[in-house]
Amino acid sequence: MSRLLARPWLGPMSLLLCGLLSIATHAHAAEGDYRLGTHGEVLDDRVMYTIGGGSAVGSPSSLYRPSGLGVGGSWRANMMCGNMSLTNTLQNQLNGATEGFQQIMGSVVQNATQAVMSLPALIIQRANPGLYELLSNGVMQGRIDFDRSKLTCQAMAEKMADKVGQAGWGALAKNQEMQSNLEQTGGDAVATVKNTESQNGNNGVSWVGGSKAGGNGQTPIRVTSDVVRAGYNLLHNRTVADSTSISSSDCLGGAICQTWASPQEESEWAVRVLGESEVATCDSCETLRAAAGSGLTPLIQEAYSERLKALQGLLSGSLSPTPDNLAKASSPILPVTRGVIEALRDDPDQDLLARRLASETALSSVLDKALLLLRTLLAGSHEPNIASAEPAQTALTKNIDALEREIRLLQTELQVRQMLATNTASLVLDRHAGGADASRTVEQGDPEPGRLNDADARRK
């Protein structure tokens, strides 16, 4: 004590050092302030277990954004039957490379091989009518085998188209190409089939707005973003190919155009949540490239960080409680009012309650966007070209199911967290509080202490 008195500058200096150390410690701890699941200090334990924990939703599995479209594969089951060659089939049949004619005629074909290679058909007919008839039967048998194999191939391709997603797009391209060729050839069946098989899907399919997509030199079919863009425009009474933004005056208070100003913004949000599939039908293209979606929880984390910063600014006074500043801490489903801010300023558990409120507004804002995206996908499914493309409807159904599953998972997580937080720990606190109240109870005395003695005296 004498040393401290001898150095009067040491007292203020010690306080300054302690203050700097506390600031540094607080700054280090603040690095995780904007993470879901980060809990503040609690003065009243009941608050934690009454509201159901520190945050409304758990931390996201990963904060990394999915990378771009990955390398895909090629699948041309719908087109490979057109690559069959009748010429090669007949040559292989006659030369014994494949079974069929050789199996039927046996050694006769082997003896006729040299004659077939050196003599025209007419000379063979004159020189050896029996051999010519034999060859004619062989050609006919080869043609029958060829047609049977091709029909089998086409039947297998149709069956695979039901199992493999991108194969269905190729079958759709072939279908549309055949319809176009039928008109051009005047109904010539042979020419129609030949022209269709020669294209191998290079002309793509009719996509959003009637334009061609997926073919050679065309934009690929982007299932998620294209459907969202079409639905956005249909809901705002615009052409499906419109990419311009909607001004606030033209929005007329609509929820979707207030949330996303342009179809591009909503499609980017949808791709981040649901992922994307790029499909092509051309012969030399990669038929499928895909990117995974991140789900809703990383977006909830981002919204939580923004709203917690806004709430802390409102509570500290660095932000005035104007409607614009309150909107930064709110969501369309759960607004934060001036009264809530004033009440939180006086609450001893301000830190925990502010974090919980920020997580709830973040969760509600992302859920609101997810519901709006569902409506947009449903609207986009009614665009004529999308509605008539079965592979698009299949992919769209998967996207809708995935989004609904994400919403249900968040709802289940919130319910489980609230149920567990209000279970045993809450009961322990209630029992402890009940025992403390009982120990503080004071038995009231008789307001007339001597009335029993007076009653005995009167009897005597």
Side-chain angles (χ1 to χ4, degrees):
M1 185 68 178
S2 60
R3 292 180 181 176
L4 183 60
L5 292 174
R7 299 178 183 177
W9 53 270
L10 190 57
M13 184 61 70
S14 300
L15 293 175
L16 179 61
L17 286 173
C18 292
L20 291 174
L21 286 173
S22 64
I23 291 173
T25 304
H26 177 73
H28 179 71
E31 291 177 359
D33 279 356
Y34 302 111
R35 295 291 183 202
L36 282 167
T38 303
H39 305 299
E41 296 181 357
V42 186
L43 298 179
D44 186 356
D45 293 332
R46 285 181 184 277
V47 174
M48 169 73 79
Y49 299 105
T50 301
I51 64 177
S55 61
V57 65
S59 301
S61 302
S62 174
L63 293 176
Y64 291 99
R65 291 197 178 193
S67 57
L69 294 168
V71 176
S74 298
W75 176 258
R76 301 186 185 92
N78 57 304
M79 299 299 172
M80 65 185 181
C81 302
N83 295 328
M84 291 182 172
S85 172
L86 175 61
T87 302
N88 291 336
T89 302
L90 293 176
Q91 288 177 353
N92 289 333
Q93 289 275 31
L94 293 176
N95 291 324
T98 55
E99 295 181 355
F101 182 51
Q102 181 187 20
Q103 189 176 17
I104 296 171
M105 299 300 177
S107 61
V108 179
V109 173
Q110 296 177 3
N111 296 329
T113 300
Q114 296 299 323
V116 171
M117 293 176 61
S118 61
L119 296 176
L122 182 60
I123 297 177
I124 294 176
Q125 184 183 24
R126 293 174 179 176
N128 194 337
L131 176 60
Y132 178 80
E133 183 180 357
L134 182 65
L135 293 176
S136 298
N137 292 333
V139 171
M140 185 179 298
Q141 178 66 40
R143 180 73 194 194
I144 292 173
D145 288 346
F146 176 82
D147 290 340
R148 180 179 60 83
S149 300
K150 190 169 184 178
L151 288 173
T152 303
C153 173
Q154 290 172 346
M156 292 177 62
E158 290 177 1
K159 190 172 289 292
M160 286 303 299
D162 297 333
K163 304 297 181 182
V164 184
Q166 62 266 37
W169 288 103
L172 179 63
K174 183 177 180 179
N175 235 342
Q176 295 182 0
E177 183 67 25
M178 185 170 290
Q179 292 175 9
S180 175
N181 287 329
L182 271 174
E183 298 175 359
Q184 295 175 6
T185 60
D188 187 332
V190 176
T192 297
V193 173
K194 182 179 179 180
N195 293 341
T196 301
E197 291 176 344
S198 66
Q199 289 300 324
N200 272 9
N202 290 327
N203 289 332
V205 299
S206 296
W207 193 225
V208 177
S211 60
K212 289 286 188 175
N216 196 8
Q218 301 170 355
T219 58
I221 301 166
R222 298 182 177 93
V223 179
T224 302
S225 56
D226 289 347
V227 173
V228 170
R229 193 174 293 109
Y232 184 99
N233 288 322
L234 287 173
L235 288 172
H236 294 96
N237 198 24
R238 309 198 307 173
T239 59
V240 291
D242 198 337
S243 59
T244 59
S245 299
I246 297 179
S247 63
S248 56
S249 59
D250 294 334
C251 183
L252 303 178
I256 292 179
C257 54
Q258 284 183 335
T259 305
W260 300 289
S262 68
Q264 181 65 25
E265 289 183 12
E266 185 174 7
S267 64
E268 289 176 355
W269 197 87
V271 168
R272 186 175 177 193
V273 174
L274 300 172
E276 183 60 284
S277 297
E278 280 191 359
V279 180
T281 63
C282 46
D283 192 35
S284 59
C285 304
E286 277 185 332
T287 54
L288 178 66
R289 291 169 63 87
S294 63
L296 295 175
T297 48
L299 296 168
I300 296 174
Q301 170 62 58
E302 292 178 4
Y304 170 77
S305 302
E306 296 170 359
R307 280 156 178 77
L308 183 57
K309 289 179 181 178
L311 268 178
Q312 290 176 342
L314 290 167
L315 293 173
S316 65
S318 60
L319 292 177
S320 57
T322 62
D324 290 340
N325 289 333
L326 289 172
K328 295 178 182 178
S330 306
S331 74
I333 299 177
L334 183 61
V336 176
T337 62
R338 183 191 296 263
V340 172
I341 298 299
E342 295 297 335
L344 271 177
R345 284 175 177 171
D346 299 332
D347 197 292
D349 282 319
Q350 175 192 119
D351 186 38
L352 174 69
L353 292 173
R355 294 176 188 276
R356 174 69 182 201
L357 181 59
S359 66
E360 289 178 353
T361 54
L363 174 60
S364 62
S365 68
V366 173
L367 286 178
D368 181 60
K369 287 185 176 181
L371 294 173
L372 293 177
L373 178 58
L374 269 178
R375 295 190 184 99
T376 306
L377 289 171
L378 291 173
S381 67
H382 296 292
E383 198 276 336
N385 294 281
I386 296 175
S388 61
E390 186 176 351
Q393 291 295 317
T394 301
L396 184 58
T397 301
K398 291 181 179 179
N399 278 341
I400 292 175
D401 290 344
L403 190 55
E404 290 178 342
R405 185 166 57 250
E406 281 279 333
I407 294 173
R408 288 196 299 269
L409 284 174
L410 290 174
Q411 181 184 7
T412 301
E413 182 180 358
L414 178 60
Q415 292 173 349
V416 168
R417 291 168 70 87
Q418 289 177 336
M419 179 179 63
L420 293 177
T422 56
N423 198 4
T424 304
S426 181
L427 177 62
V428 170
L429 290 173
D430 289 341
R431 289 172 61 84
H432 177 73
D437 292 340
S439 65
R440 288 194 294 268
T441 301
V442 178
E443 185 177 350
Q444 297 291 331
D446 194 336
E448 298 179 11
R451 64 191 170 82
L452 293 178
N453 294 332
D454 294 342
D456 290 340
R458 289 193 197 96
R459 288 197 203 96
K460 295 176 181 179

